[in-house]
Amino acid sequence: MDDRVIIRFNHVTKQYDNDLPVLDDVSFEMERGKFYTLLGPSGCGKTTILRLIAGFIEPTKGDIYFHGKRMNNVPANKRQVNTVFQDYALFPHLNVFENVAFGLRIKKIGKEDIERKVKEALRFVNLEGYEQRAIHEMSGGQRQRVAIARAIVNEPDVLLLDEPLSALDLKLRTEMQYELRELQRRLGITFIFVTHDQEEALAMSDEIFVLNKGKIEQRGTPKDIYDEPVNRFVADFIGESNIITGTMIDDFVVEFANQQFACIDRGFAKNERVDIVIRPEDLELTTVERGKLRVRVDSVLFRGVHYELCCYDTYGNEWLVHSTKKADIGEEIGLHFEPEAIHVMKRSGGE
Amino acid sequence: MKFSRLYLTFIFFVLYMPIFYLIYYSFNSGGTMHHFESFTLDWYKEVFADTRLLIIVLHTMIIALLSSSLATIIGVFGAITIYYAKHRWKQTLLTLNNVLIVSPDVIIGASFLILFTIAGIQLGFTSVLLSHIAFSIPIVVLMVLPKLQEMSPTLIDAARDLGANEWNILTKVILPYITPGIFAGFFMALTYSLDDFAVTFFVTGNGFSTLSVEIYSRARQGISLSVNALSTLLFLFTLVLVVVYYVITQRASAKGGQK
Ligand SMILES: Nc1ncnc2c1ncn2[C@@H]1O[C@H](COP(=O)(O)OP(=O)(O)O)[C@@H](O)[C@H]1O
Ligand SMILES: [Mg+2]
């Protein structure tokens, strides 16, 4: 077995009572020292995966391995894993120093060592000098850092972060994204980060797991997932895009909106029904004559860096376009795109 | 607004009137409660010279401190048990607890009397102590449980995540968190025990008496203003307890207030 693998889920299912499974036969591996993100809509099972890794709950079926050893029945307090909770879960009756020192005190580490390690952990998260503060005197962003310091001071192999940035305002959130990524590089340990914000996932991760209804829809680098979503759900979730159904006429030829287009995809059956993705930023505004598609502008929004145009073709398909050029509502325009902009996906059932 | 303020003042006046009336005449040298002659501290001297009374005061204190301490310990663990109980059980336990709080003292007193008689426990110190512990436990539970419910369950997860075992979780997280509730419960139990008349009246015997029962029997025997003096002292002591309780809860809420 590859000794870079630190966590392995082997056909893990988690089910409460007789409800539908919260996690359904999930298998994956995670490597040492990487930044992983679990991305998915609320209720898809992200927290459940973290709680399984942390040891707060046990799988109904399947096995969880840690450094190649089966961990199913090892209690949470015996695992080399620490968690940064969504609500931070700081101890309100202890000050900042004692919160961070909590884990070390339980391990009965010497007084001087505790002092040194806590100071160091607080320096890591830029909170030197805040040792004696009470928790209620700290701002949201500072509490966040205390929670991180409290976790990393125990030198875990894996740090679990459950939507740690969701309670912060936008500016602070962007700042913390950089800091977390930087922290992970400096510590060199595995981070498993949970979010439902796709931009955050794309910006921070080495690898993203896209989850839906207790299953992993796709795993890959941010670029893979953005450029090559495997199905409609992933394409839709990972960013604004135009998803329409079409037919694969032949290798490199696809038909949608009643026209045939050259594309770079192949390996589908002849005349197979497929889903087509074209990102709004890959559509270029042009004249009706020069455009590959002819659409009517329905609404225009100014988004700062670009205009967001919502257009309809004659077959009723909606086309979202990001363009630096403006168009008038009701105007007929042409849309141009390169063959590489067309991404063809297998149809997933149900969606 | 002005009317409601006036109304409240009136109500409180009516409520406190008898107490102040009683306190006022405890300084009366005349020996009756309708004509104030001149100021004296004789009645207080009489109270402090009465050794039997001082022993009763001592008994009352011992009963109050012992019963409220023991009730606090039992009540805290009771509250924790209710907190961890499965949903349906939780409701049942809570209801049982509340029934005990609202049921009349007379009924509790009478049933304790029957119980002690059947169990063959001699009426006196033990029976009073046991019954005080018993009626104080539900009060402690009622004061502690809200603190437990206010505590975020992820706090316990967090402690476990940091390596804490069940004992660590209890001593380093749960107990410190609910400390204000524990103190509040203790002081409530203390005042209930000090004040209690009805239950004690039923289960006391063999010469053992507490202050409330003693005041009652003296007041019945005939009017001596030393009863007034004694009541005044008891009132002042209760007032001190209330102030202490107030200060503790204020400090606690100032601490946990900003969340
Ligand atoms: N203790 C529990 N009992 C029953 N259902 C639960 C329990 N915990 C979580 N669930 C269910 O599991 C699903 C996934 O939850 P979770 O992993 O918390 O989702 P999220 O991706 O939002 O973190 C939800 O539908 C939730 O209702
Ligand atoms: Mg969650």
Side-chain angles (χ1 to χ4, degrees), chain A residues 50-94:
Chain A
L50 289 198
R51 291 176 67 80
L52 283 166
I53 296 174
F56 300 134
I57 52 176
E58 286 178 27
T60 315
K61 277 195 253 149
D63 299 305
I64 297 171
Y65 295 90
F66 210 78
H67 290 301
K69 278 211 253 340
R70 189 169 174 277
M71 290 290 282
N72 289 31
N73 307 318
V74 178
N77 54 351
K78 299 267 154 52
R79 296 193 186 190
Q80 277 302 315
V81 172
N82 285 109
T83 308
V84 177
F85 291 86
Q86 191 163 4
D87 62 355
Y88 312 148
L90 297 172
F91 303 117
H93 57 281
L94 300 177

Side-chain angles (χ1 to χ4, degrees), chain B residues 216-258:
Chain B
Y216 170 76
S217 52
R218 285 190 184 201
R220 276 184 61 113
Q221 275 163 20
I223 326 146
S224 159
L225 289 187
S226 64
V227 173
N228 290 36
L230 188 56
S231 307
T232 305
L233 290 172
L234 194 60
F235 176 71
L236 286 180
F237 185 69
T238 318
L239 214 60
V240 169
L241 280 188
V242 170
V243 168
V244 170
Y245 170 80
Y246 180 78
V247 168
I248 286 177
T249 46
Q250 278 297 303
R251 248 217 319 247
S253 68
K255 230 175 167 180
Q258 295 163 281

Side-chain angles (χ1 to χ4, degrees), chain A residues 111-232:
Chain A
K111 222 173 162 177
E112 275 121 52
D113 279 343
I114 291 184
E115 188 99 358
R116 183 174 52 75
K117 287 185 180 202
V118 171
K119 285 247 160 79
E120 192 181 301
L122 285 173
R123 195 166 54 242
F124 246 90
V125 296
N126 294 325
L127 278 182
E128 302 136 292
Y130 286 87
E131 285 84 357
Q132 301 311 319
R133 287 278 188 104
I135 295 304
H136 69 81
E137 293 169 340
M138 307 287 278
S139 71
Q142 290 171 331
R143 286 181 204 191
Q144 162 86 74
R145 288 159 204 256
V146 177
I148 293 170
R150 184 178 69 174
I152 63 174
V153 78
N154 302 290
E155 297 165 14
D157 296 338
V158 178
L159 188 68
L160 309 175
L161 303 107
D162 194 354
E163 309 206 20
L165 308 184
S166 60
L168 306 180
D169 60 53
L170 186 63
K171 188 163 172 292
L172 200 56
R173 197 154 80 208
T174 327
E175 230 172 86
M176 283 303 290
Q177 287 174 5
Y178 281 106
E179 284 191 27
L180 274 181
R181 188 64 237 232
E182 178 59 26
L183 187 68
Q184 190 269 334
R185 289 214 179 92
R186 278 191 288 161
L187 292 171
I189 62 174
T190 309
F191 273 37
I192 305 177
F193 181 88
V194 162
T195 183
H196 60 257
D197 179 340
Q198 86 284 353
E199 281 181 36
E200 203 163 273
L202 291 172
M204 298 174 75
S205 326
D206 287 321
E207 205 167 316
I208 299 175
F209 290 67
V210 183
L211 290 151
N212 184 28
K213 295 184 184 151
K215 281 188 174 297
I216 296 175
E217 296 278 353
Q218 186 174 4
R219 66 173 287 183
T221 63
K223 197 159 161 34
D224 281 349
I225 291 199
Y226 191 80
D227 290 342
E228 306 281 331
V230 293
N231 58 30
R232 201 181 182 104

